[in-house]
Amino acid sequence: MPAQLNALTQIPRLYLAWNTVKAKGSVGGIDGITILEFEKEKRKQIPKLAEELRTGTWKPQPYMEIEVAKTKNPDEMRKLGMTAIRDKIVQHAIKSVIEPRYEKIFLGNSYGYRPGRGATKAIRRVLAECCKKQYKYVLRLDIDNFFDTIDHEILQKRLVATGTETEIVRLIMLCVQMGKVKQNCLEWVETEYGTPQGAVLSPILSNLYLHSFDQFAVSKNVPYVRYADDFLFLTETKEQAEEILARTESYLKEKLKLALNQPPEIIDLNDGFDFLGITIKDKKASITEKKRADLTDRINTLDFDMDGFPLKSNRVWEGISNYYGKLLPQEDLEYFDTVLLKRLVSIVHERFDTFGSKSNLQFALGTFSFLSLQYQLKKKQFSSEIIAEYIGEKLKERQTVDAKKNRKLIQERKKEYRKLEAETSGLLVNKPGMFLGLTSRGVTISQKGKVVAQHHPDNLSQIVITGQGVSMSSNLISFCLNRKIPIDFFDNQGTHIGSIINSKYMQNTLWAKQADANTLQRNTIALGILEGKIKNQYALLKYFNKYHKSRYPQLKSKMEMMEKVAEDFKTWKKKAKPDDEDFLQKLLGHEAQVAIRYWDYIRELFSDDNVKFEQREHQGAKDLVNSMLNYGYAILYVRVWQALLAAHLNPFDSLIHAQREGKPTLVYDMIEIFRSQVVDRIVISLVQKGQDLEVRNGLLTDNTRQLLVKSVMERLARYEKYQGEEMKMEQIIQKQAKLLAKVFEGTAKFKPYVAKW
């Protein structure tokens, strides 16, 4: 067996080739086999490869053609040929056989893809040549589409001329001429010219192809340096450069069937020139602003963790270090070190918790080197600064955790005291024979001459009397009038009998403007009020649905129907015109549809609460839920009435409900915004919490009435976020009344209160 073929088919050589492929983490080809998959089969596959090479039956897979943007021109695409893992092993083995022979004949002027050489040495050679005083010009050239235009016949002749064995030549040409298959389909593409970019053998074959050109270039007796298809000549005169250019073009065209990229460049050395990403000027290496920005971007994408740079980031930094770190002046290297330092600090700030401990970070910082001498000497100092940032972030995290814990504790206390405030803001009196008085200790409640309760007056906002035979002192009445604390009287059915309120409530300064409002103004306000009602009903259902939908699947369809009518209203509102003659009628139609679906959902919600709620009933209701709702609305009704009076509005001049003599119909309008969130929510919660609730002979029991009134009063005194600040519900009602007043004055637009759910 010929020596080269015998060497190629040795299993140890193929294993070495496999280790090279594995170490590079190579991507597979069209057959889809990965490094990990081949690893599992290597003991079977490598001997099989050796046998196929010995018997001449090895048949490589086609290259998988992919396109990537060119570095120099991102708008142009470069076609790469991805080789199957199995075939990569063979090509690496072939390369290991032919490379020692070829290296003996290659000239020292060639630096690309050769062991012990590379771009760094190419640049140093150019810098050394530029220092020779006699050279004034540089002829900088590169070959157009070099890898894709290599002539196969010429290449084969070059292979034979080097003494490469016939079977090795055949295998090489088989690799070169194998077709390609496009990545996204199985369309076959013939390979008539070129060597596939990305194939293992392509670089060494490209150097062999241009070897005769290297010999030609050296014969010109001027400095010549080539890296792959980029090369340059240094000349004493421009005319000499032009003569070499002409002969170069001719040689490449006639001997190698290649062409130069146009236009070729003849540059005065004093002006500086670019070669392999480096700018050479004044006999020094630097980089362009574009390249500086590119390297900065690459550094700013580096990752860093407790083990240092991950593999991908480590390759990027090593690439910069091994090339630019050996060529650029210290000021440039210090710039990139500064970029890296900032990147590391930003990672520590953003992901300090991934390092686990100070010692882990310390270890990670010891796994790499800076580029510049200055930074290398101060590495301990910079590492200490980064660790200090890490410790600062850990401390900040601890402070954040502590602050969060403290905020939680404060909020818990705040909630407790807000609840106490709500519980003490209203005074409910519901038993006959009680006397309310005022002493130095506050409001006192006495029965049969004995003080049974005391109430601090500073937090008092309402007194509600629901029992008969209750009396009070004139001092207390005077105190309440001065403090604008209303005293409201209700009978046992929840009917509001009357209130003792300050005469200032009765100012009627806006009654005339209210009466003069035209239809457009009235309908616009009516739309705002009912929009608020619909949104608050919808929000309440969403609140309860959030907690009950998993337990009550039948609620899903009810919620979907509510969503539909709410969406229908929203769609109608976009097109509706408040000055249309039938506007209010259509508005009320939508409000009615929403109400049907709203109460339909609530009926289903109560289905297993043993309250027998069938439908919403107003006056004369005898069931528990409707009785509680009506009684709760009566409490709310008084608060809305008092808020409208305080805003100097006429409570009898309504916008939605038909005006009736002696009936505060504007109160009926405004209460619509708040019913669901103040009363409905309370009633539903009391029922579902299993409270001891009862109705007898169509009337709420004393205990039920007391619990309901107390709960509604607490709800009115409870805080929530409104217009960017926390305020009690009763204050929100007052704000809405004042806003309505501004609307009638012509200084504002009405925007209803909408609850968060």
Side-chain angles (χ1 to χ4, degrees):
M1 183 184 293
Q4 288 182 337
L5 181 60
N6 183 55
L8 175 64
T9 58
Q10 296 300 307
I11 288 178
R13 183 180 294 274
L14 291 172
Y15 264 109
L16 285 173
W18 155 243
N19 289 334
T20 301
V21 173
K22 184 169 69 170
K24 289 184 176 181
S26 300
V27 178
I30 195 67
D31 61 1
I33 295 174
T34 65
I35 289 283
L36 290 175
E37 290 169 336
F38 191 90
E39 173 73 32
K40 296 174 184 177
E41 294 285 322
K42 66 181 179 181
R43 296 185 184 278
K44 176 182 174 182
Q45 288 294 331
I46 288 179
K48 186 178 178 182
L49 268 178
E51 180 62 22
E52 289 175 5
L53 291 168
R54 269 195 298 271
T55 59
T57 57
W58 174 67
K59 181 171 61 176
Q61 294 285 346
Y63 297 97
M64 182 172 69
E65 185 179 87
I66 64 171
E67 293 186 347
V68 296
K70 290 185 176 181
T71 304
K72 292 181 180 178
N73 187 357
D75 294 331
E76 292 185 23
M77 303 303 290
R78 185 190 307 280
K79 293 181 179 180
L80 300 181
M82 306 302 291
T83 316
I85 298 295
R86 203 168 183 271
D87 301 334
K88 275 185 170 74
I89 295 169
V90 173
Q91 290 199 30
H92 271 291
I94 293 172
K95 181 186 174 189
S96 71
V97 170
I98 63 175
E99 190 170 59
R101 176 185 290 267
Y102 292 176
E103 277 298 312
K104 289 178 182 177
I105 64 172
F106 288 163
L107 302 184
N109 307 69
S110 166
Y111 287 86
Y113 316 124
R114 294 182 61 188
R117 292 181 164 264
T120 302
K121 289 186 176 180
I123 292 293
R124 285 177 175 167
R125 172 77 176 269
V126 172
L127 284 168
E129 298 291 359
C130 287
C131 288
K132 296 176 181 178
K133 294 182 179 179
Q134 70 265 37
Y135 299 113
K136 308 295 182 185
Y137 291 89
V138 60
L139 173 61
R140 185 182 155 319
L141 306 168
D142 64 290
I143 299 170
D144 182 30
N145 207 18
F146 170 58
F147 283 92
D148 292 336
T149 55
I150 288 175
D151 185 277
H152 290 173
E153 185 179 349
I154 295 173
L155 175 62
Q156 190 165 359
K157 288 179 180 179
R158 294 280 184 270
L159 288 167
V160 172
T162 59
T164 306
E165 291 175 2
T166 302
E167 180 61 11
I168 301 299
V169 172
R170 184 188 73 79
L171 291 172
I172 292 172
M173 294 310 296
L174 177 61
C175 294
V176 169
Q177 294 171 333
M178 180 53 67
K180 301 174 184 176
V181 173
K182 292 188 177 179
Q183 183 181 16
N184 297 323
C185 65
L186 296 179
E187 181 185 349
W188 183 276
V189 180
E190 292 287 355
T191 303
E192 298 177 356
Y193 298 95
T195 60
Q197 294 188 59
V200 175
L201 286 172
S202 292
I204 192 170
L205 295 180
S206 69
N207 280 330
L208 178 64
Y209 195 83
L210 289 176
H211 175 60
S212 66
F213 175 73
D214 290 339
Q215 293 172 317
F216 159 81
V218 169
S219 70
K220 302 301 132 192
N221 294 316
V222 296
Y224 160 72
V225 176
R226 179 177 68 82
Y227 185 92
D229 56 341
D230 282 307
F231 55 96
L232 58 78
F233 297 90
L234 294 177
T235 64
E236 296 181 30
T237 65
K238 189 174 183 180
E239 292 73 22
Q240 187 182 17
E242 289 170 345
E243 181 186 353
I244 292 174
L245 171 60
R247 292 189 178 186
T248 295
E249 285 183 311
S250 176
Y251 184 92
L252 290 172
K253 182 179 180 180
E254 294 174 9
K255 302 291 185 182
L256 299 176
K257 298 184 180 180
L258 299 173
L260 293 173
N261 264 320
Q262 299 297 327
E265 294 180 294
I266 300 175
I267 305 164
D268 189 319
L269 278 180
N270 291 325
D271 295 333
F273 63 94
D274 294 339
F275 188 60
L276 303 181
I278 295 292
T279 299
I280 298 172
K281 187 176 182 182
D282 299 329
K283 302 172 185 178
K284 294 179 182 178
S286 63
I287 54 174
T288 63
E289 285 304 313
K290 183 179 179 182
K291 178 57 69 173
R292 181 187 293 267
D294 175 57
L295 290 176
T296 300
D297 289 342
R298 287 165 67 186
I299 294 171
N300 281 327
T301 61
L302 294 178
D303 204 358
F304 194 71
D305 56 32
M306 61 191 295
D307 297 316
F309 290 124
L311 183 61
K312 185 177 178 181
S313 295
N314 190 56
R315 285 176 178 169
V316 171
W317 185 246
E318 281 189 351
I320 294 171
S321 300
N322 293 338
Y323 187 47
Y324 297 100
K326 296 175 181 178
L327 296 171
L328 296 179
Q330 287 296 308
E331 60 263 28
D332 284 337
L333 299 181
E334 287 177 19
Y335 168 81
F336 292 121
D337 280 339
T338 302
V339 174
L340 176 63
L341 185 61
K342 288 180 180 178
R343 174 62 181 162
L344 296 177
V345 170
S346 72
I347 290 172
V348 167
H349 278 296
E350 293 166 10
R351 303 200 304 272
F352 66 92
D353 54 328
T354 62
F355 293 98
S357 67
K358 172 185 167 183
S359 59
N360 287 343
L361 177 58
Q362 214 158 16
F363 168 80
L365 292 170
T367 60
F368 71 93
S369 296
F370 285 111
L371 303 176
S372 66
L373 181 61
Q374 182 77 1
Y375 271 68
Q376 289 171 12
L377 292 173
K378 292 184 176 181
K379 186 174 181 183
K380 281 189 177 180
Q381 174 190 329
F382 294 132
S383 295
S384 297
E385 291 174 3
I386 294 173
I387 289 169
E389 294 290 335
Y390 169 78
I391 293 170
E393 287 297 328
K394 291 286 284 185
L395 179 61
K396 195 185 298 182
E397 181 192 37
R398 180 70 258 167
Q399 291 172 338
T400 302
V401 170
D402 289 346
K404 187 176 179 180
K405 182 178 179 180
N406 286 347
R407 279 198 304 272
K408 183 181 178 183
L409 294 171
I410 291 168
Q411 287 299 318
E412 287 173 356
R413 275 289 182 233
K414 178 180 176 181
K415 191 174 179 180
E416 288 174 19
Y417 278 84
R418 282 279 169 86
K419 186 178 179 182
L420 287 172
E421 180 185 3
E423 289 173 352
T424 57
S425 64
L427 178 57
L428 172 63
V429 184
N430 66 341
K431 291 183 180 180
M434 286 189 165
F435 174 79
L436 278 69
L438 184 70
T439 69
S440 59
R441 291 176 291 180
V443 178
T444 60
I445 303 174
S446 304
Q447 195 168 30
K448 296 180 180 180
K450 184 180 179 180
V451 175
V452 294
Q454 289 184 352
H455 199 100
H456 199 283
D458 288 349
N459 188 39
L460 189 62
S461 62
Q462 182 183 22
I463 296 176
V464 175
I465 298 173
T466 62
Q468 296 180 347
V470 176
S471 59
M472 63 189 72
S473 71
S474 59
N475 286 346
L476 176 63
I477 294 172
S478 178
F479 173 82
C480 290
L481 290 173
N482 289 331
R483 293 283 190 97
K484 291 187 178 181
I485 300 170
I487 304 172
D488 302 316
F489 297 87
F490 296 86
D491 65 17
N492 58 4
Q493 291 182 320
T495 303
H496 178 232
I497 300 169
S499 300
I500 300 174
I501 57 175
N502 193 300
S503 59
K504 291 180 180 178
Y505 276 106
M506 302 306 295
Q507 292 184 28
N508 59 2
T509 51
L510 287 175
W511 289 29
K513 287 186 178 181
Q514 189 177 342
D516 288 341
N518 58 36
T519 301
L520 176 61
Q521 290 173 306
R522 288 175 173 273
N523 284 351
T524 302
I525 299 169
L527 175 62
I529 290 172
L530 291 186
E531 181 181 17
K533 174 183 180 179
I534 290 169
K535 285 184 175 181
N536 285 327
Q537 286 179 328
Y538 191 21
L540 185 64
L541 294 199
K542 285 193 283 187
Y543 169 78
F544 282 109
N545 198 59
K546 178 180 178 182
Y547 299 104
H548 292 84
K549 60 184 177 182
S550 58
R551 289 178 54 202
Y552 304 98
Q554 65 272 28
L555 289 175
K556 182 180 179 182
S557 61
K558 304 295 183 185
M559 193 65 191
E560 287 173 350
M561 286 188 276
M562 180 64 179
E563 289 169 354
K564 183 182 182 304
V565 291
E567 190 60 35
D568 289 345
F569 168 74
K570 187 177 177 182
T571 303
W572 172 80
K573 176 179 172 284
K574 289 179 181 178
K575 300 177 182 177
K577 296 179 180 178
D579 54 354
D580 285 350
E581 187 176 343
D582 60 349
F583 173 82
L584 189 58
Q585 182 181 351
K586 289 182 177 179
L587 174 61
L588 291 170
H590 280 283
E591 182 259 351
Q593 286 299 312
V594 173
I596 290 170
R597 299 308 176 190
Y598 174 74
W599 292 112
D600 195 27
Y601 182 97
I602 291 174
R603 184 179 68 250
E604 192 65 51
L605 191 62
F606 283 149
S607 59
D608 66 347
D609 288 306
N610 197 31
V611 292
K612 297 180 181 179
F613 176 71
E614 297 297 332
Q615 62 183 15
R616 175 73 187 106
E617 293 182 14
H618 301 276
Q619 291 183 352
K622 302 295 183 183
D623 66 288
L624 176 67
V625 172
N626 277 304
S627 297
M628 291 178 70
L629 289 169
N630 292 337
Y631 208 109
Y633 294 153
I635 306 294
L636 175 62
Y637 159 88
V638 175
R639 286 301 178 92
V640 174
W641 190 347
Q642 291 162 355
L644 292 173
L645 288 174
H648 307 150
L649 290 169
N650 181 358
F652 301 93
D653 188 359
S654 56
L655 305 158
I656 301 168
H657 291 81
Q659 295 183 17
R660 289 181 287 168
E661 186 176 350
K663 297 291 183 181
T665 47
L666 183 61
V667 180
Y668 302 159
D669 291 348
M670 285 295 287
I671 199 175
E672 298 290 355
I673 300 173
F674 304 100
R675 285 181 193 269
S676 60
Q677 293 296 325
V678 175
V679 179
D680 300 356
R681 182 168 176 168
I682 291 295
V683 172
I684 294 170
S685 296
L686 289 174
V687 170
Q688 295 213 313
K689 286 176 182 176
Q691 295 282 359
D692 187 14
L693 307 170
E694 193 177 358
V695 61
R696 293 178 190 166
N697 301 320
L699 297 176
L700 298 173
T701 61
D702 289 345
N703 288 340
T704 302
R705 191 164 60 246
Q706 182 176 356
L707 177 61
L708 174 63
V709 174
K710 181 174 177 291
S711 299
V712 172
M713 290 170 68
E714 287 175 7
R715 174 73 180 105
L716 287 165
R718 195 177 303 156
Y719 285 83
E720 67 176 74
K721 205 78 171 274
Y722 179 66
Q723 295 182 344
E725 60 180 299
E726 287 188 331
M727 60 179 70
K728 297 176 182 179
M729 176 57 73
E730 59 189 10
Q731 292 173 317
I732 295 173
I733 294 172
Q734 293 162 8
K735 277 227 168 194
Q736 286 274 277
K738 289 176 182 176
L739 176 61
L740 183 59
K742 289 181 180 179
V743 173
F744 283 120
E745 287 177 327
T747 59
K749 290 183 179 180
F750 188 75
K751 186 177 180 181
Y753 153 79
V754 176
K756 303 291 188 295
W757 68 277

